[in-house]
Amino acid sequence: MHRIYSALIDIVAAAIFIVPLLALYGKISLRSLKQTLIYIVFAFYLVAVLSLVGFPSVLSLNLDFTINIIPLVDMISDFVNACLNVLLFVPLGFLLPMLWKKYKAIKNTMLFAMCMTIAIEISQIFTFRTTDINDIITKMVGTLGGYFIAKRITKNFTQYPELNAENKDLYIICGTVMLIMFLLQPFTASLLWELIL
């Protein structure tokens, strides 16, 4: 429960920067409130993911080369964590093809998810967390599950309107969120914790 509460604080702390920056980039528009809302929700989802997986920040850099490259080892003993990783990435597999035409192709969705999970796992070298092949596997399974949920509940999946989302918008949102989480969010989050406690 503490991790969820902490992720909510991180979302609020990051929102202070995300919303103005997306507006500055022209990604928030009164002409397309639906797209604006989806972009903000997607950005907040990425903040929650980075918060929950232990993305490093300027305040918490610490080299730790604890790496597990043997797949499926300890996955059963850490079954709860494996299930949480799967659930955490279901929205990614759901949102990508619903927003961006390019990601209606399963290979593109899975390639994006693989790049994202590998980046997250490599970043954990700079935290106290273990870089683990099992985490990559479970996150990919979650993305695949989300993709098939989107395909199943959308009758005309291949013809679903993408809300005019451009491919570059995905990279702008991801890059913005990662920079904010690394450089700015830790300072505002610590201020929010001080106000709450």
Side-chain angles (χ1 to χ4, degrees), residues 137-158:
I137 293 168
T138 53
K139 290 168 184 165
M140 296 293 288
V141 167
T143 303
L144 188 63
Y147 178 87
F148 283 115
I149 289 169
K151 192 169 184 176
R152 176 83 176 147
I153 67 170
T154 307
K155 292 180 182 176
N156 296 317
F157 180 72
T158 56

Side-chain angles (χ1 to χ4, degrees), residues 95-109:
L95 290 170
L96 284 177
M98 299 296 281
L99 291 173
W100 289 279
K101 186 175 182 179
K102 175 182 178 181
Y103 295 98
K104 288 196 185 309
I106 192 168
K107 66 177 183 177
N108 292 334
T109 298

Side-chain angles (χ1 to χ4, degrees), residues 27-53:
K27 302 307 168 196
I28 293 180
S29 168
L30 294 176
R31 290 178 310 216
S32 180
L33 289 175
K34 191 173 183 182
Q35 181 175 324
T36 295
L37 180 64
I38 300 267
Y39 277 5
I40 290 172
V41 167
F42 186 73
F44 290 175
Y45 161 71
L46 290 177
V47 170
V49 167
L50 295 180
S51 175
L52 290 169
V53 300

Side-chain angles (χ1 to χ4, degrees), residues 62-156:
N62 182 32
L63 278 176
D64 183 5
F65 288 99
T66 307
I67 300 172
N68 174 30
I69 56 171
I70 304 169
L72 307 177
V73 172
D74 298 326
M75 193 180 282
I76 301 299
S77 63
D78 200 9
F79 186 70
V80 172
N81 188 50
C83 289
L84 291 175
N85 272 333
V86 169
L87 289 175
L88 189 61
F89 273 71
V90 167
L92 183 68
F94 183 86
L95 290 170
L96 284 177
M98 299 296 281
L99 291 173
W100 289 279
K101 186 175 182 179
K102 175 182 178 181
Y103 295 98
K104 288 196 185 309
I106 192 168
K107 66 177 183 177
N108 292 334
T109 298
M110 297 310 291
L111 181 62
F112 182 87
M114 185 167 55
C115 291
M116 184 173 171
T117 57
I118 289 171
I120 287 170
E121 292 304 311
I122 289 172
S123 75
Q124 289 181 344
I125 290 171
F126 302 99
T127 66
F128 287 108
R129 300 183 71 126
T130 301
T131 300
D132 194 343
I133 188 72
N134 293 325
D135 289 348
I136 293 173
I137 293 168
T138 53
K139 290 168 184 165
M140 296 293 288
V141 167
T143 303
L144 188 63
Y147 178 87
F148 283 115
I149 289 169
K151 192 169 184 176
R152 176 83 176 147
I153 67 170
T154 307
K155 292 180 182 176
N156 296 317

Side-chain angles (χ1 to χ4, degrees), residues 143-196:
T143 303
L144 188 63
Y147 178 87
F148 283 115
I149 289 169
K151 192 169 184 176
R152 176 83 176 147
I153 67 170
T154 307
K155 292 180 182 176
N156 296 317
F157 180 72
T158 56
Q159 298 167 355
Y160 190 83
E162 296 83 25
L163 305 173
N164 298 321
E166 296 179 31
N167 287 334
K168 68 177 181 178
D169 292 350
L170 173 63
Y171 309 121
I172 289 170
I173 293 168
C174 291
T176 300
V177 167
M178 290 175 92
L179 283 172
I180 288 169
M181 290 298 287
F182 183 74
L183 295 172
L184 303 172
Q185 178 274 340
F187 299 103
T188 52
S190 62
L191 286 174
L192 286 173
W193 279 112
E194 284 180 23
L195 289 173
I196 292 169

